[in-house]
Tab-separated table of all heavy atoms in Angstrom:
chain	number	residue	atom	x	y	z
G	1	MET	N	-44.738	67.818	25.847
G	1	MET	CA	-43.849	68.033	24.711
G	1	MET	C	-42.873	69.171	25.004
G	1	MET	O	-43.252	70.207	25.527
G	1	MET	CB	-44.706	68.383	23.482
G	1	MET	CG	-43.888	68.444	22.196
G	1	MET	SD	-44.898	69.061	20.839
G	1	MET	CE	-43.628	69.921	19.917
G	2	VAL	N	-41.635	68.953	24.654
G	2	VAL	CA	-40.604	69.962	24.899
G	2	VAL	C	-40.610	70.985	23.764
G	2	VAL	O	-40.666	70.625	22.596
G	2	VAL	CB	-39.204	69.304	24.988
G	2	VAL	CG1	-38.141	70.354	25.252
G	2	VAL	CG2	-39.198	68.253	26.076
G	3	VAL	N	-40.584	72.250	24.136
G	3	VAL	CA	-40.550	73.308	23.137
G	3	VAL	C	-39.150	73.386	22.532
G	3	VAL	O	-38.154	73.406	23.253
G	3	VAL	CB	-40.910	74.669	23.775
G	3	VAL	CG1	-40.796	75.783	22.736
G	3	VAL	CG2	-42.311	74.623	24.340
G	4	GLU	N	-39.126	73.411	21.218
G	4	GLU	CA	-37.833	73.530	20.558
G	4	GLU	C	-37.405	74.987	20.533
G	4	GLU	O	-38.182	75.859	20.157
G	4	GLU	CB	-37.908	72.976	19.142
G	4	GLU	CG	-38.000	71.463	19.115
G	4	GLU	CD	-37.979	70.940	17.696
G	4	GLU	OE1	-38.809	71.374	16.897
G	4	GLU	OE2	-37.138	70.100	17.392
G	5	LYS	N	-36.189	75.232	20.905
G	5	LYS	CA	-35.653	76.591	20.903
G	5	LYS	C	-34.533	76.705	19.886
G	5	LYS	O	-33.932	75.704	19.509
G	5	LYS	CB	-35.115	76.942	22.287
G	5	LYS	CG	-36.187	77.015	23.346
G	5	LYS	CD	-35.546	77.314	24.678
G	5	LYS	CE	-36.553	77.151	25.810
G	5	LYS	NZ	-35.864	77.209	27.108
G	6	ALA	N	-34.274	77.940	19.482
G	6	ALA	CA	-33.186	78.173	18.537
G	6	ALA	C	-32.098	78.992	19.211
G	6	ALA	O	-32.371	79.897	20.000
G	6	ALA	CB	-33.704	78.912	17.306
G	7	CYS	N	-30.866	78.658	18.884
G	7	CYS	CA	-29.725	79.401	19.400
G	7	CYS	C	-29.653	80.745	18.685
G	7	CYS	O	-29.723	80.815	17.460
G	7	CYS	CB	-28.456	78.592	19.138
G	7	CYS	SG	-26.958	79.488	19.540
G	8	LYS	N	-29.520	81.821	19.435
G	8	LYS	CA	-29.473	83.151	18.838
G	8	LYS	C	-28.187	83.378	18.059
G	8	LYS	O	-28.124	84.222	17.183
G	8	LYS	CB	-29.601	84.228	19.916
G	8	LYS	CG	-31.012	84.358	20.460
G	8	LYS	CD	-31.083	85.523	21.429
G	8	LYS	CE	-32.469	85.629	22.039
G	8	LYS	NZ	-32.520	86.733	23.010
G	9	LYS	N	-27.157	82.655	18.397
G	9	LYS	CA	-25.868	82.870	17.739
G	9	LYS	C	-25.730	82.070	16.448
G	9	LYS	O	-25.406	82.618	15.411
G	9	LYS	CB	-24.731	82.526	18.702
G	9	LYS	CG	-24.596	83.560	19.796
G	9	LYS	CD	-23.370	83.297	20.651
G	9	LYS	CE	-23.227	84.389	21.708
G	9	LYS	NZ	-22.141	84.077	22.651
G	10	CYS	N	-25.960	80.760	16.510
G	10	CYS	CA	-25.715	79.938	15.314
G	10	CYS	C	-26.998	79.386	14.705
G	10	CYS	O	-26.936	78.697	13.699
G	10	CYS	CB	-24.739	78.819	15.648
G	10	CYS	SG	-25.425	77.569	16.747
G	11	HIS	N	-28.156	79.698	15.314
G	11	HIS	CA	-29.472	79.306	14.788
G	11	HIS	C	-29.783	77.819	14.942
G	11	HIS	O	-30.788	77.350	14.434
G	11	HIS	CB	-29.630	79.709	13.307
G	11	HIS	CG	-29.787	81.190	13.134
G	11	HIS	ND1	-30.368	81.739	12.021
G	11	HIS	CD2	-29.441	82.215	13.924
G	11	HIS	CE1	-30.367	83.062	12.124
G	11	HIS	NE2	-29.797	83.364	13.275
G	12	ARG	N	-28.965	77.070	15.595
G	12	ARG	CA	-29.219	75.659	15.808
G	12	ARG	C	-30.512	75.472	16.610
G	12	ARG	O	-30.743	76.173	17.587
G	12	ARG	CB	-28.041	75.056	16.582
G	12	ARG	CG	-28.229	73.629	17.032
G	12	ARG	CD	-27.872	72.660	15.947
G	12	ARG	NE	-28.005	71.299	16.431
G	12	ARG	CZ	-27.285	70.267	15.963
G	12	ARG	NH1	-26.403	70.452	15.030
G	12	ARG	NH2	-27.473	69.065	16.426
G	13	ILE	N	-31.340	74.515	16.194
G	13	ILE	CA	-32.574	74.227	16.928
G	13	ILE	C	-32.302	73.101	17.909
G	13	ILE	O	-31.787	72.046	17.538
G	13	ILE	CB	-33.716	73.862	15.966
G	13	ILE	CG1	-34.079	75.102	15.144
G	13	ILE	CG2	-34.926	73.357	16.735
G	13	ILE	CD1	-35.028	74.825	14.005
G	14	ILE	N	-32.640	73.336	19.160
G	14	ILE	CA	-32.306	72.373	20.199
G	14	ILE	C	-33.438	72.195	21.199
G	14	ILE	O	-34.338	73.032	21.291
G	14	ILE	CB	-31.035	72.808	20.969
G	14	ILE	CG1	-31.198	74.257	21.410
G	14	ILE	CG2	-29.807	72.651	20.122
G	14	ILE	CD1	-29.976	74.787	22.099
G	15	LYS	N	-33.378	71.092	21.929
G	15	LYS	CA	-34.362	70.831	22.982
G	15	LYS	C	-33.626	70.764	24.297
G	15	LYS	O	-33.555	69.732	24.943
G	15	LYS	CB	-35.056	69.491	22.738
G	15	LYS	CG	-35.978	69.489	21.547
G	15	LYS	CD	-36.495	68.084	21.320
G	15	LYS	CE	-37.297	68.011	20.029
G	15	LYS	NZ	-37.553	66.611	19.667
G	16	GLY	N	-33.011	71.852	24.667
G	16	GLY	CA	-32.270	71.853	25.918
G	16	GLY	C	-32.014	73.287	26.348
G	16	GLY	O	-32.654	74.201	25.860
G	17	ASP	N	-31.070	73.459	27.235
G	17	ASP	CA	-30.782	74.791	27.753
G	17	ASP	C	-29.443	75.324	27.276
G	17	ASP	O	-29.079	76.453	27.585
G	17	ASP	CB	-30.799	74.784	29.277
G	17	ASP	CG	-32.193	74.495	29.802
G	17	ASP	OD1	-33.157	75.010	29.218
G	17	ASP	OD2	-32.315	73.744	30.776
G	18	ILE	N	-28.716	74.514	26.546
G	18	ILE	CA	-27.425	74.975	26.045
G	18	ILE	C	-27.210	74.470	24.618
G	18	ILE	O	-27.572	73.348	24.282
G	18	ILE	CB	-26.282	74.530	26.991
G	18	ILE	CG1	-24.962	75.122	26.528
G	18	ILE	CG2	-26.206	73.013	27.086
G	18	ILE	CD1	-23.885	75.100	27.606
G	19	CYS	N	-26.643	75.327	23.797
G	19	CYS	CA	-26.401	74.967	22.400
G	19	CYS	C	-25.208	74.017	22.300
G	19	CYS	O	-24.134	74.345	22.784
G	19	CYS	CB	-26.142	76.232	21.596
G	19	CYS	SG	-25.698	75.893	19.886
G	20	PRO	N	-25.408	72.850	21.672
G	20	PRO	CA	-24.305	71.891	21.562
G	20	PRO	C	-23.232	72.326	20.568
G	20	PRO	O	-22.126	71.794	20.574
G	20	PRO	CB	-24.997	70.608	21.086
G	20	PRO	CG	-26.225	71.074	20.396
G	20	PRO	CD	-26.643	72.355	21.062
G	21	VAL	N	-23.563	73.289	19.711
G	21	VAL	CA	-22.614	73.719	18.687
G	21	VAL	C	-21.683	74.807	19.210
G	21	VAL	O	-20.464	74.674	19.175
G	21	VAL	CB	-23.346	74.219	17.428
G	21	VAL	CG1	-22.366	74.707	16.384
G	21	VAL	CG2	-24.223	73.120	16.862
G	22	CYS	N	-22.264	75.899	19.722
G	22	CYS	CA	-21.418	77.022	20.140
G	22	CYS	C	-21.432	77.227	21.652
G	22	CYS	O	-20.844	78.179	22.144
G	22	CYS	CB	-21.832	78.289	19.405
G	22	CYS	SG	-23.471	78.888	19.841
G	23	LYS	N	-22.119	76.342	22.378
G	23	LYS	CA	-22.171	76.381	23.843
G	23	LYS	C	-22.856	77.628	24.411
G	23	LYS	O	-22.692	77.974	25.573
G	23	LYS	CB	-20.763	76.284	24.463
G	23	LYS	CG	-19.916	75.170	23.898
G	23	LYS	CD	-20.491	73.807	24.226
G	23	LYS	CE	-19.611	72.706	23.625
G	23	LYS	NZ	-20.312	71.426	23.545
G	24	SER	N	-23.607	78.303	23.555
G	24	SER	CA	-24.315	79.494	24.009
G	24	SER	C	-25.569	79.102	24.777
G	24	SER	O	-26.172	78.070	24.531
G	24	SER	CB	-24.710	80.351	22.801
G	24	SER	OG	-25.598	81.366	23.201
G	25	THR	N	-25.945	79.920	25.741
G	25	THR	CA	-27.202	79.687	26.462
G	25	THR	C	-28.225	80.743	26.084
G	25	THR	O	-29.276	80.852	26.697
G	25	THR	CB	-26.983	79.706	27.986
G	25	THR	OG1	-26.321	80.910	28.341
G	25	THR	CG2	-26.156	78.520	28.440
G	26	GLU	N	-27.897	81.536	25.054
G	26	GLU	CA	-28.842	82.542	24.575
G	26	GLU	C	-29.768	81.899	23.555
G	26	GLU	O	-29.477	81.846	22.371
G	26	GLU	CB	-28.084	83.711	23.935
G	26	GLU	CG	-27.368	84.556	24.948
G	26	GLU	CD	-26.700	85.754	24.293
G	26	GLU	OE1	-27.388	86.493	23.589
G	26	GLU	OE2	-25.489	85.897	24.463
G	27	LEU	N	-30.889	81.388	24.065
G	27	LEU	CA	-31.831	80.671	23.218
G	27	LEU	C	-33.147	81.412	23.157
G	27	LEU	O	-33.462	82.214	24.023
G	27	LEU	CB	-32.059	79.269	23.772
G	27	LEU	CG	-30.804	78.500	24.181
G	27	LEU	CD1	-31.188	77.214	24.886
G	27	LEU	CD2	-29.914	78.225	22.988
G	28	THR	N	-33.909	81.134	22.105
G	28	THR	CA	-35.212	81.751	21.998
G	28	THR	C	-36.213	80.780	21.398
G	28	THR	O	-35.848	79.962	20.539
G	28	THR	CB	-35.156	83.030	21.141
G	28	THR	OG1	-36.486	83.540	21.014
G	28	THR	CG2	-34.593	82.765	19.751
G	29	ALA	N	-37.465	80.854	21.875
G	29	ALA	CA	-38.521	80.022	21.293
G	29	ALA	C	-39.169	80.775	20.137
G	29	ALA	O	-40.065	80.282	19.474
G	29	ALA	CB	-39.559	79.677	22.360
G	30	ASN	N	-38.694	81.988	19.895
G	30	ASN	CA	-39.245	82.847	18.850
G	30	ASN	C	-38.439	82.710	17.554
G	30	ASN	O	-37.578	83.519	17.263
G	30	ASN	CB	-39.233	84.298	19.358
G	30	ASN	CG	-39.861	85.251	18.354
G	30	ASN	OD1	-40.576	84.840	17.448
G	30	ASN	ND2	-39.569	86.526	18.509
G	31	TRP	N	-38.742	81.638	16.817
G	31	TRP	CA	-38.040	81.433	15.555
G	31	TRP	C	-39.026	80.922	14.513
G	31	TRP	O	-40.090	80.409	14.839
G	31	TRP	CB	-36.889	80.452	15.733
G	31	TRP	CG	-37.267	79.124	16.310
G	31	TRP	CD1	-37.331	78.803	17.644
G	31	TRP	CD2	-37.677	77.950	15.598
G	31	TRP	NE1	-37.731	77.502	17.792
G	31	TRP	CE2	-37.955	76.951	16.546
G	31	TRP	CE3	-37.825	77.638	14.245
G	31	TRP	CZ2	-38.384	75.673	16.196
G	31	TRP	CZ3	-38.240	76.354	13.892
G	31	TRP	CH2	-38.513	75.393	14.863
G	32	LYS	N	-38.650	81.073	13.239
G	32	LYS	CA	-39.552	80.669	12.151
G	32	LYS	C	-38.818	79.902	11.067
G	32	LYS	O	-37.751	80.317	10.621
G	32	LYS	CB	-40.155	81.916	11.506
G	32	LYS	CG	-41.391	82.408	12.210
G	32	LYS	CD	-42.002	83.570	11.453
G	32	LYS	CE	-43.151	84.166	12.232
G	32	LYS	NZ	-43.512	85.484	11.713
G	33	GLY	N	-39.420	78.814	10.645
G	33	GLY	CA	-38.887	78.022	9.543
G	33	GLY	C	-37.561	77.374	9.905
G	33	GLY	O	-36.872	77.838	10.806
G	34	TYR	N	-37.246	76.288	9.240
G	34	TYR	CA	-35.952	75.688	9.537
G	34	TYR	C	-35.392	74.972	8.316
G	34	TYR	O	-36.112	74.668	7.373
G	34	TYR	CB	-36.038	74.737	10.721
G	34	TYR	CG	-36.844	73.486	10.483
G	34	TYR	CD1	-36.268	72.372	9.882
G	34	TYR	CD2	-38.177	73.419	10.863
G	34	TYR	CE1	-37.014	71.227	9.660
G	34	TYR	CE2	-38.937	72.283	10.649
G	34	TYR	CZ	-38.351	71.188	10.043
G	34	TYR	OH	-39.092	70.053	9.824
G	35	ILE	N	-34.109	74.764	8.345
G	35	ILE	CA	-33.472	73.977	7.312
G	35	ILE	C	-32.772	72.801	7.982
G	35	ILE	O	-32.328	72.917	9.123
G	35	ILE	CB	-32.428	74.791	6.508
G	35	ILE	CG1	-31.440	75.491	7.449
G	35	ILE	CG2	-33.112	75.774	5.595
G	35	ILE	CD1	-30.202	75.970	6.741
G	36	LEU	N	-32.739	71.690	7.261
G	36	LEU	CA	-32.066	70.514	7.777
G	36	LEU	C	-30.755	70.378	7.017
G	36	LEU	O	-30.745	70.190	5.809
G	36	LEU	CB	-32.954	69.288	7.569
G	36	LEU	CG	-32.531	68.019	8.293
G	36	LEU	CD1	-32.515	68.232	9.804
G	36	LEU	CD2	-33.485	66.896	7.956
G	37	VAL	N	-29.660	70.523	7.729
G	37	VAL	CA	-28.346	70.417	7.102
G	37	VAL	C	-27.774	69.026	7.366
G	37	VAL	O	-27.569	68.644	8.509
G	37	VAL	CB	-27.391	71.503	7.639
G	37	VAL	CG1	-26.006	71.329	7.035
G	37	VAL	CG2	-27.938	72.887	7.330
G	38	ILE	N	-27.572	68.283	6.278
G	38	ILE	CA	-27.034	66.931	6.427
G	38	ILE	C	-25.536	66.927	6.107
G	38	ILE	O	-24.743	66.336	6.813
G	38	ILE	CB	-27.793	65.949	5.510
G	38	ILE	CG1	-29.241	65.839	6.009
G	38	ILE	CG2	-27.127	64.575	5.501
G	38	ILE	CD1	-30.207	65.330	4.976
G	39	ASP	N	-25.186	67.642	5.029
G	39	ASP	CA	-23.781	67.732	4.639
G	39	ASP	C	-23.405	69.203	4.453
G	39	ASP	O	-23.580	69.758	3.369
G	39	ASP	CB	-23.563	66.948	3.345
G	39	ASP	CG	-22.086	66.770	3.046
G	39	ASP	OD1	-21.250	67.504	3.611
G	39	ASP	OD2	-21.757	65.890	2.235
G	40	PRO	N	-22.911	69.832	5.508
G	40	PRO	CA	-22.625	71.281	5.469
G	40	PRO	C	-21.671	71.677	4.350
G	40	PRO	O	-21.812	72.761	3.782
G	40	PRO	CB	-21.983	71.558	6.827
G	40	PRO	CG	-22.423	70.442	7.699
G	40	PRO	CD	-22.568	69.250	6.798
G	41	GLU	N	-20.741	70.809	3.999
G	41	GLU	CA	-19.760	71.160	2.973
G	41	GLU	C	-20.355	71.219	1.583
G	41	GLU	O	-19.831	71.871	0.697
G	41	GLU	CB	-18.598	70.156	2.996
G	41	GLU	CG	-17.712	70.361	4.206
G	41	GLU	CD	-16.498	69.448	4.194
G	41	GLU	OE1	-16.237	68.816	3.165
G	41	GLU	OE2	-15.828	69.381	5.232
G	42	LYS	N	-21.484	70.533	1.383
G	42	LYS	CA	-22.113	70.521	0.064
G	42	LYS	C	-23.351	71.399	0.002
G	42	LYS	O	-24.018	71.475	-1.016
G	42	LYS	CB	-22.476	69.093	-0.334
G	42	LYS	CG	-21.257	68.260	-0.663
G	42	LYS	CD	-21.649	66.850	-1.022
G	42	LYS	CE	-20.404	65.992	-1.232
G	42	LYS	NZ	-20.729	64.567	-1.275
G	43	SER	N	-23.688	72.049	1.107
G	43	SER	CA	-24.901	72.844	1.158
G	43	SER	C	-24.606	74.338	1.037
G	43	SER	O	-23.859	74.902	1.836
G	43	SER	CB	-25.647	72.568	2.469
G	43	SER	OG	-26.670	73.516	2.660
G	44	GLU	N	-25.202	74.954	0.012
G	44	GLU	CA	-25.028	76.393	-0.170
G	44	GLU	C	-25.664	77.167	0.976
G	44	GLU	O	-25.148	78.174	1.430
G	44	GLU	CB	-25.656	76.843	-1.494
G	44	GLU	CG	-24.884	76.389	-2.724
G	44	GLU	CD	-23.454	76.928	-2.746
G	44	GLU	OE1	-23.265	78.102	-2.401
G	44	GLU	OE2	-22.539	76.169	-3.102
G	45	VAL	N	-26.819	76.672	1.429
G	45	VAL	CA	-27.509	77.345	2.532
G	45	VAL	C	-26.653	77.314	3.787
G	45	VAL	O	-26.521	78.303	4.503
G	45	VAL	CB	-28.876	76.683	2.808
G	45	VAL	CG1	-29.646	77.469	3.858
G	45	VAL	CG2	-29.684	76.586	1.531
G	46	ALA	N	-26.047	76.176	4.026
G	46	ALA	CA	-25.179	76.038	5.201
G	46	ALA	C	-24.030	77.040	5.137
G	46	ALA	O	-23.650	77.637	6.144
G	46	ALA	CB	-24.644	74.616	5.301
G	47	LYS	N	-23.496	77.237	3.937
G	47	LYS	CA	-22.405	78.201	3.787
G	47	LYS	C	-22.870	79.612	4.091
G	47	LYS	O	-22.176	80.396	4.726
G	47	LYS	CB	-21.835	78.135	2.370
G	47	LYS	CG	-20.895	76.955	2.189
G	47	LYS	CD	-20.450	76.832	0.743
G	47	LYS	CE	-19.787	75.480	0.508
G	47	LYS	NZ	-19.706	75.157	-0.907
G	48	ASN	N	-24.080	79.936	3.609
G	48	ASN	CA	-24.632	81.273	3.859
G	48	ASN	C	-24.803	81.541	5.351
G	48	ASN	O	-24.657	82.667	5.807
G	48	ASN	CB	-25.990	81.430	3.171
G	48	ASN	CG	-25.850	81.560	1.667
G	48	ASN	OD1	-24.769	81.858	1.166
G	48	ASN	ND2	-26.915	81.324	0.944
G	49	PHE	N	-25.125	80.501	6.092
G	49	PHE	CA	-25.357	80.667	7.521
G	49	PHE	C	-24.120	80.319	8.353
G	49	PHE	O	-24.176	80.284	9.571
G	49	PHE	CB	-26.537	79.793	7.974
G	49	PHE	CG	-27.882	80.356	7.610
G	49	PHE	CD1	-28.459	80.073	6.382
G	49	PHE	CD2	-28.555	81.181	8.489
G	49	PHE	CE1	-29.698	80.596	6.038
G	49	PHE	CE2	-29.792	81.710	8.162
G	49	PHE	CZ	-30.364	81.418	6.924
G	50	ASN	N	-23.024	80.005	7.679
G	50	ASN	CA	-21.800	79.598	8.369
G	50	ASN	C	-22.001	78.365	9.246
G	50	ASN	O	-21.491	78.288	10.360
G	50	ASN	CB	-21.254	80.752	9.221
G	50	ASN	CG	-20.612	81.815	8.352
G	50	ASN	OD1	-19.974	81.507	7.342
G	50	ASN	ND2	-20.786	83.062	8.722
G	51	ILE	N	-22.784	77.421	8.728
G	51	ILE	CA	-23.056	76.200	9.470
G	51	ILE	C	-22.012	75.140	9.132
G	51	ILE	O	-21.751	74.872	7.963
G	51	ILE	CB	-24.468	75.675	9.117
G	51	ILE	CG1	-25.524	76.647	9.648
G	51	ILE	CG2	-24.690	74.278	9.710
G	51	ILE	CD1	-26.910	76.396	9.082
G	52	THR	N	-21.401	74.584	10.151
G	52	THR	CA	-20.372	73.565	9.917
G	52	THR	C	-20.731	72.222	10.545
G	52	THR	O	-20.039	71.233	10.343
G	52	THR	CB	-19.013	74.038	10.482
G	52	THR	OG1	-19.192	74.381	11.852
G	52	THR	CG2	-18.487	75.243	9.722
G	53	THR	N	-21.804	72.209	11.323
G	53	THR	CA	-22.225	70.984	11.988
G	53	THR	C	-23.592	70.558	11.462
G	53	THR	O	-24.497	71.390	11.428
G	53	THR	CB	-22.322	71.208	13.509
G	53	THR	OG1	-21.094	71.766	13.966
G	53	THR	CG2	-22.591	69.906	14.246
G	54	PRO	N	-23.772	69.311	11.050
G	54	PRO	CA	-25.068	68.855	10.566
G	54	PRO	C	-26.145	68.998	11.633
G	54	PRO	O	-25.855	68.840	12.832
G	54	PRO	CB	-24.837	67.372	10.236
G	54	PRO	CG	-23.369	67.238	10.061
G	54	PRO	CD	-22.758	68.256	10.984
G	55	GLY	N	-27.368	69.275	11.210
G	55	GLY	CA	-28.455	69.415	12.166
G	55	GLY	C	-29.564	70.288	11.632
G	55	GLY	O	-29.607	70.620	10.455
G	56	LYS	N	-30.446	70.687	12.538
G	56	LYS	CA	-31.609	71.483	12.185
G	56	LYS	C	-31.358	72.924	12.608
G	56	LYS	O	-30.970	73.173	13.755
G	56	LYS	CB	-32.799	70.919	12.973
G	56	LYS	CG	-34.136	71.043	12.313
G	56	LYS	CD	-35.088	70.122	13.056
G	56	LYS	CE	-36.424	70.779	13.267
G	56	LYS	NZ	-37.315	69.948	14.109
G	57	TYR	N	-31.573	73.854	11.686
G	57	TYR	CA	-31.282	75.260	11.982
G	57	TYR	C	-32.464	76.150	11.619
G	57	TYR	O	-33.109	75.944	10.590
G	57	TYR	CB	-30.049	75.721	11.202
G	57	TYR	CG	-28.776	75.047	11.666
G	57	TYR	CD1	-28.435	73.792	11.195
G	57	TYR	CD2	-27.945	75.654	12.604
G	57	TYR	CE1	-27.291	73.149	11.622
G	57	TYR	CE2	-26.796	75.020	13.041
G	57	TYR	CZ	-26.478	73.778	12.556
G	57	TYR	OH	-25.345	73.146	12.988
G	58	ALA	N	-32.717	77.143	12.439
G	58	ALA	CA	-33.812	78.075	12.185
G	58	ALA	C	-33.415	79.070	11.097
G	58	ALA	O	-32.280	79.517	11.033
G	58	ALA	CB	-34.151	78.833	13.466
G	59	LEU	N	-34.369	79.383	10.237
G	59	LEU	CA	-34.115	80.371	9.188
G	59	LEU	C	-34.139	81.788	9.762
G	59	LEU	O	-33.355	82.637	9.418
G	59	LEU	CB	-35.154	80.251	8.076
G	59	LEU	CG	-34.985	79.061	7.132
G	59	LEU	CD1	-36.166	78.998	6.175
G	59	LEU	CD2	-33.697	79.168	6.353
G	60	ARG	N	-35.120	82.037	10.623
G	60	ARG	CA	-35.240	83.346	11.235
G	60	ARG	C	-35.330	83.210	12.738
G	60	ARG	O	-36.118	82.408	13.239
G	60	ARG	CB	-36.499	84.078	10.738
G	60	ARG	CG	-36.379	84.555	9.326
G	60	ARG	CD	-37.739	84.920	8.802
G	60	ARG	NE	-37.723	84.987	7.346
G	60	ARG	CZ	-37.645	86.141	6.677
G	60	ARG	NH1	-37.651	87.275	7.311
G	60	ARG	NH2	-37.606	86.136	5.372
G	61	VAL	N	-34.543	83.969	13.431
G	61	VAL	CA	-34.543	83.926	14.889
G	61	VAL	C	-34.910	85.303	15.421
G	61	VAL	O	-34.309	86.302	15.033
G	61	VAL	CB	-33.166	83.500	15.435
G	61	VAL	CG1	-33.120	83.609	16.937
G	61	VAL	CG2	-32.863	82.072	15.009
G	62	GLY	N	-35.933	85.341	16.280
G	62	GLY	CA	-36.369	86.601	16.859
G	62	GLY	C	-35.453	87.063	17.966
G	62	GLY	O	-34.554	86.344	18.404
G	63	LYS	N	-35.684	88.298	18.439
G	63	LYS	CA	-34.824	88.832	19.494
G	63	LYS	C	-35.401	88.603	20.873
G	63	LYS	O	-36.556	88.397	21.006
G	63	LYS	CB	-34.587	90.318	19.253
G	63	LYS	CG	-33.684	90.472	18.063
G	63	LYS	CD	-33.364	91.939	17.809
G	63	LYS	CE	-32.453	92.046	16.590
G	63	LYS	NZ	-32.715	93.240	15.825
C	1	ZN	ZN1	-25.377	78.014	18.944
């Protein structure tokens, strides 16, 4: 099973080595909780996190 990592910059949860949203390679397996954003324009949470791309995002990302 592939460990899901979170992007330190935009919090996107991914199963790879590069973030598809911001192209960052600063990832961490140290994250907690997640939100599923389906429609960023209608989601208050997405606005709080500055999320513009639908997907799965970590609520808390460790350092
Ligand atoms: Zn990112």
Side-chain angles (χ1 to χ4, degrees):
M1 188 187 147
V2 180
V3 177
E4 288 184 305
K5 294 178 190 170
C7 173
K8 286 185 183 178
K9 288 187 178 173
C10 69
H11 288 202
R12 173 84 177 208
I13 293 170
I14 50 183
K15 290 174 187 168
D17 294 320
I18 185 162
C19 175
V21 178
C22 67
K23 312 295 179 198
S24 169
T25 53
E26 288 184 54
L27 314 172
T28 177
N30 183 17
W31 55 272
K32 274 185 186 165
Y34 68 84
I35 51 164
L36 192 61
V37 177
I38 294 159
D39 192 342
E41 287 184 11
K42 289 179 185 167
S43 168
E44 289 300 319
V45 186
K47 281 174 193 163
N48 287 342
F49 283 88
N50 286 323
I51 293 167
T52 54
T53 308
K56 211 165 138 186
Y57 293 83
L59 285 174
R60 287 165 198 260
V61 173
K63 289 182 180 146

